[in-house]
């Protein structure tokens, strides 16, 4: 009952704010959905239907209230060659399969892997996305009449100054209304939403992709579906984390995986392309007062209503108004404090952040950038832990017994230091390796321990290992070979 009450609260605790922000998001979704359709090489209605379907279903079944999901550039670019080589029906089938893969990933609780994405990678992801959002507006700002710049500047002035008068109405919505009214009344000759492509005039209908149901078809669409599933979930889960931080509320990452999967599966059967969470639109939603599931649901429903019923009016919105909103989103998304923090944060963290930004901006692929950032984070972490490793020794009074004291984490990155700490040429009767202040983690460290023991035995010394904690003892008992018959002979042979 408590979970049902919580779910109801996620819908109806902020009705006014969610409806208004949903309206703003719906308006901003139109040109983006059309643009992403063009990227994928399909008709604009494919992206618009997808944005409606994905927004509504993720609002119901997703795990992050207040987050906006729709057709996106990240998934559109992955479908380009599939559409070119095989056509629209294969794109729809690939969308269905991508959704099923995402549902499976959610049921396997792969959303928990987000814990391995460091704060530096998150910051790099956010900054790169802000740069990409701004770059995406450049076609609307280059080679256009002076009037466009004036409208964009006026739109930005409204967005940033109107909240000083009142916050009852989202300033991006005021920007759209004012600039559209001025454009219609004064007859401005500027690009409008209608210039981006023809808006659909009918509701989406259920259909089954018209493809041969055989293994060959599966092998064609599977690589695209797998890529869309992974990239879509990666962008969705990182966006969810950012909305978590902005709103100080938690999300269910595994439920979000399932919600995204359901959305894509159903969308494929409704004639739409694959999508995922949109950080830019989610930022618009949150900054416009959207917090609950109703905001995403309203965005989807209002989007469909506007393109089908109010299509003629919506097509008159000047692109300058939407460009001003996206510039505001870009400025608000960028973590400006991260530039100042470059001087104070650890150098490794700054390198990870900068590398993530650089790779994403260069490749225009968020997944590759994040993967590079996560790999660098892992390498720097392993290197740092390896520096906390040390080996000291004590020689007995008679000079025949040396005790080596190992401290720190013994794993693949510290194995070389471990071996370098021993003097195998010293003539001793007995060697004790005290690991009571150390932890043995992996097969590399066990192999190093084997090698040390066998080398001392080869020189005629008795070797004793003491102080193994329970976990270390378990892995040593399972993997070590220094007490097994023939181990010394094998070492001698090498």
């Amino acid at each position: 009952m408590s979970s049902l009450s919580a779910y109801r609260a996620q819908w109806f605790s902020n009705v006014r704010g969610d409806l208004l922000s949903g309206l703003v998001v719906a308006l901003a979704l139109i040109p983006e959905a059309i643009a992403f359709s063009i990227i994928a090489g399909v008709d604009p209605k494919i992206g618009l239907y997808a944005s409606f379907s994905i927004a509504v279903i993720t609002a119901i079944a997703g795990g992050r209230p207040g987050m906006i999901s729709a057709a996106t550039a990240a998934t559109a670019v992955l479908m380009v060659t599939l559409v070119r080589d095989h056509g629209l029906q294969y794109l729809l089938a690939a969308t269905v399969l991508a959704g099923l893969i995402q549902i499976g990933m959610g049921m396997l609780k792969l959303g928990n892997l987000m814990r391995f994405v460091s704060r530096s990678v998150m910051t790099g992801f956010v900054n790169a996305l802000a740069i990409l959002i701004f770059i995406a507006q450049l076609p609307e700002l280059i080679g256009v009449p002076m009037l466009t710049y004036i409208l964009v500047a006026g739109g930005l002035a409204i967005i940033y100054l109107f909240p000083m008068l009142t916050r009852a109405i989202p300033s991006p919505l005021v920007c759209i209304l004012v600039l559209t009214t001025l454009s219609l009344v004064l007859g401005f000759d500027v690009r409008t939403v209608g210039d981006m492509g023809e808006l659909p005039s009918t509701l989406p209908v259920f259909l089954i992709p018209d493809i041969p149901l055989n293994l060959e078809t599966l092998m064609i669409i599977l690589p695209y579906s797998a890529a869309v599933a992974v990239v879509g979930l990666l962008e969705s889960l990182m966006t969810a984390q950012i909305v978590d931080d902005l709103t100080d509320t938690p999300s269910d990452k595994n439920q979000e995986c399932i919600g995204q999967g359901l959305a894509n599966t159903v969308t494929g059967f409704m004639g739409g392309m694959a999508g995922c969470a949109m950080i830019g639109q989610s930022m618009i939603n949150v900054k416009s007062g959207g917090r609950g599931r109703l905001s995403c649901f309203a965005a989807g429903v209002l989007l469909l209503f506007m393109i089908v019923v109010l299509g003629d009016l919506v097509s008159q919105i000047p692109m300058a108004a939407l460009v001003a909103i996206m510039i505001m989103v870009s400025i608000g998304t960028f973590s400006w404090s991260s530039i100042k923090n470059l001087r104070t944060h650890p150098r490794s963290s700054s390198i990870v952040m900068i590398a993530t930004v650089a790779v994403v901006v260069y490749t225009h692929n968020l997944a590759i950038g994040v993967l590079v950032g996560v790999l660098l984070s892992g390498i720097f972490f392993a290197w740092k832990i390896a520096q906390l490793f040390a080996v000291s020794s004590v020689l007995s009074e008679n000079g025949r017994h040396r005790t080596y004291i190992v401290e720190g984490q013994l794993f693949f990155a510290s194995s070389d230091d471990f071996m370098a700490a021993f003097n195998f040429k010293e003539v001793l009767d007995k060697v004790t390796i005290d690991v009571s202040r150390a932890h043995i983690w992996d097969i590399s460290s066990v192999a190093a321990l084997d090698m040390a023991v066998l080398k001392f035995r080869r020189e005629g010394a008795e070797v004793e290992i003491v102080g193994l904690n329970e976990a270390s003892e378990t892995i040593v008992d399972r993997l070590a070979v220094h007490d097994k018959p023939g181990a010394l002979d094998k070492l001698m042979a090498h």
Side-chain angles (χ1 to χ4, degrees), residues 17-294:
D18 285 346
L19 289 176
L20 287 174
S21 61
L23 176 59
V24 175
V25 172
L27 288 167
L29 275 176
I30 294 173
E32 290 204 353
I34 295 173
F36 300 153
S37 301
I38 295 170
I39 290 174
V42 296
D43 193 85
K45 71 178 182 182
I46 305 300
L48 290 166
Y49 285 159
S51 293
F52 154 72
S53 172
I54 294 171
V56 169
I57 295 172
T58 54
I60 297 171
R64 176 58 262 183
M67 185 170 74
I68 304 298
S69 297
T72 62
T75 53
V77 296
L78 298 173
M79 296 287 199
V80 173
T81 54
L82 177 64
V83 174
R84 184 191 62 201
D85 297 340
H86 300 283
L88 172 63
Q89 295 301 316
Y90 279 77
L91 177 145
L92 301 181
T95 298
V96 173
L97 182 58
L100 294 175
I101 293 172
Q102 289 177 327
I103 292 173
M105 294 170 76
M107 295 179 72
L108 292 173
K109 300 188 182 304
L110 295 186
N112 294 332
L113 295 179
M114 274 301 293
R115 70 182 64 182
F116 297 108
V117 180
S118 68
R119 176 64 60 179
S120 300
V121 177
M122 291 285 291
T123 304
F125 171 83
V126 167
N127 289 347
L129 203 54
I131 294 171
L132 289 184
I133 290 172
F134 183 80
I135 291 175
Q137 310 312 309
L138 293 181
E140 298 296 331
L141 295 171
I142 296 176
V144 295
M146 181 58 69
L147 180 59
T148 299
Y149 299 111
I150 296 173
L151 289 176
V152 171
L156 287 170
I158 292 173
I159 289 170
Y160 285 108
L161 298 179
F162 187 79
M164 296 180 181
L165 300 177
T166 177
R167 293 181 180 273
I169 304 174
S171 61
L173 178 59
V174 177
C175 167
I176 292 173
L177 294 175
V178 170
L179 294 192
T180 302
T181 301
L182 286 175
S183 180
L184 291 175
V185 172
L186 300 178
F188 292 154
D189 183 19
V190 293
R191 274 171 59 82
T192 64
V193 171
D195 295 327
M196 299 288 288
E198 185 179 355
L199 301 180
S201 57
T202 60
L203 296 174
V205 296
F206 180 85
L207 57 86
I208 296 177
D210 184 17
I211 57 169
L213 297 177
N214 52 40
L215 182 60
E216 182 182 356
T217 301
L218 177 63
M219 297 311 295
I220 290 173
I221 64 173
L222 182 59
Y224 295 95
S225 299
V228 167
V230 172
V231 170
L233 285 189
L234 188 59
E235 186 162 350
S236 297
L237 296 180
M238 296 193 73
T239 303
Q241 186 63 51
I242 291 168
V243 177
D244 289 355
D245 295 340
L246 283 174
T247 59
D248 292 326
T249 54
S251 60
D252 186 336
K253 303 293 191 304
N254 293 314
Q255 181 59 43
E256 185 59 36
C257 293
I258 295 174
Q260 292 288 336
L262 283 172
N264 280 323
T265 301
V266 174
T267 297
F269 286 120
M270 295 182 67
M273 58 194 282
C276 62
M278 309 174 74
I279 188 171
Q281 299 294 343
S282 298
M283 292 291 288
I284 292 176
N285 190 46
V286 172
K287 288 181 179 296
S288 299
R291 293 293 185 274
R293 295 178 182 272
L294 185 60

